[in-house]
Amino acid sequence: NNDIQVSSKKAWLSERFEDGLVFLKSTERGKCFIEYIPAENAWNPISADGYMYIDCLWVAGSFKGHGYSSDLLNACIEDSKNKGKKGLCILAAAKKKPFLADPKVCDEADNGVQLWYLPFVENATLPQFKECAKHPHTDEMGYVLYYTSQCPFNAKYVPVIEGIAKEKAIQFKAIQLQSKEEAQNAP
C-alpha cells in the first residue's frame, strides 16, 4: 500500500538531512527527483571519502524523455562541485549502465554489482567496495535479504517476498538495517 511506502520513505529521509542528504524534486508535477548524500554517510558498504553518492534518480514513466533526469543530474553535479567533492559515485548491476554521463567502473563485487564513478578532479582516489561487499557471504541457510527504508518499495515488497517464501516452504530471512553503520558493514 502506498501509505506505507510514503511514510517509510519520509521517516528515513527526515533523519538523513543532518548527514548532508539532498533531495531535489523537479518543478514538474509527478515523480521526478534525485537523492544524494556524502559518500561517507551513504547506506552502502563502500569507501569513497570526498565523493557524493547518488541514492536514487527517479523519473516517472510519463515524464521520461523530456530531459528531467539530465536537469536533476546537472543540478547534483553543480551542487557537489560547489561542496568541494571529488566526484560522484553510484551502484549499478553489471548489465545496466548507470545514467551518469561518461561514467567509469571503479570496482565490482563477486555478485556482479558494480561501483561507477564520475570524477571532478584528476588523480582522485577511486571509490571501492568494502571487503564485506566485494566478497558477500553469509553462513545463514536459505535466502537472506538485507534492506533499508531508503527505497520506499521495500516497505511494500519485502512482506510480499516473505509471504511467497513461506508459501513455497523456502527458508528466508529479511534483515532491516537500521543505521548507516550497519549498512556500511553488512555482508
Side-chain angles (χ1 to χ4, degrees):
N1 133 348
N2 282 346
D3 290 345
I4 291 172
Q5 289 178 233
V6 171
S7 61
S8 165
K9 177 68 177 187
K10 281 187 174 175
W12 187 88
L13 278 175
S14 67
E15 294 167 9
R16 303 286 78 76
F17 291 123
E18 63 187 36
D19 288 339
L21 182 133
V22 176
F23 187 87
L24 281 181
K25 254 180 120 168
S26 169
T27 54
E28 292 299 314
R29 284 194 170 162
K31 296 177 181 169
C32 306
F33 67 84
I34 190 167
E35 177 189 318
Y36 54 95
I37 192 168
E40 298 85 345
N41 294 329
W43 283 43
N44 277 295
I46 59 172
S47 295
D49 288 3
Y51 283 82
M52 196 66 88
Y53 177 80
I54 299 175
D55 276 328
C56 190
L57 173 60
W58 182 267
V59 176
S62 61
F63 292 91
K64 290 182 178 170
H66 294 92
Y68 297 126
S69 60
S70 296
D71 291 346
L72 289 165
L73 186 56
N74 288 335
C76 169
I77 290 170
E78 187 179 343
D79 184 37
S80 300
K81 284 181 176 177
N82 288 339
K83 288 174 176 167
K85 297 300 175 186
K86 297 175 187 174
L88 301 178
C89 57
I90 187 170
L91 295 180
K95 294 177 184 173
K96 187 177 179 187
K97 189 174 178 182
F99 44 76
L100 293 177
D102 196 29
K104 301 172 177 67
V105 177
C106 48
D107 206 356
E108 183 167 355
D110 293 346
N111 60 8
V113 175
Q114 296 178 328
L115 182 57
W116 293 69
Y117 79 115
L118 177 67
F120 299 154
V121 295
E122 284 185 37
N123 304 319
T125 308
L126 298 185
Q128 59 185 20
F129 281 111
K130 292 187 176 180
E131 201 62 21
C132 60
K134 181 100 171 160
H135 309 293
H137 170 77
T138 181
D139 292 326
E140 299 264 1
M141 297 299 290
Y143 289 91
V144 181
L145 172 65
Y146 292 89
Y147 73 101
T148 72
S149 293
Q150 186 272 321
C151 179
F153 293 113
N154 289 339
K156 180 178 180 180
Y157 290 110
V158 170
V160 170
I161 295 168
E162 284 178 310
I164 293 168
K166 192 172 184 180
E167 187 182 298
K168 305 276 186 191
I170 296 168
Q171 194 165 349
F172 178 82
K173 184 176 184 180
I175 300 170
Q176 184 173 15
L177 303 170
Q178 302 287 351
S179 70
K180 72 179 178 195
E181 289 77 20
E182 281 185 14
Q184 287 173 359
N185 296 292

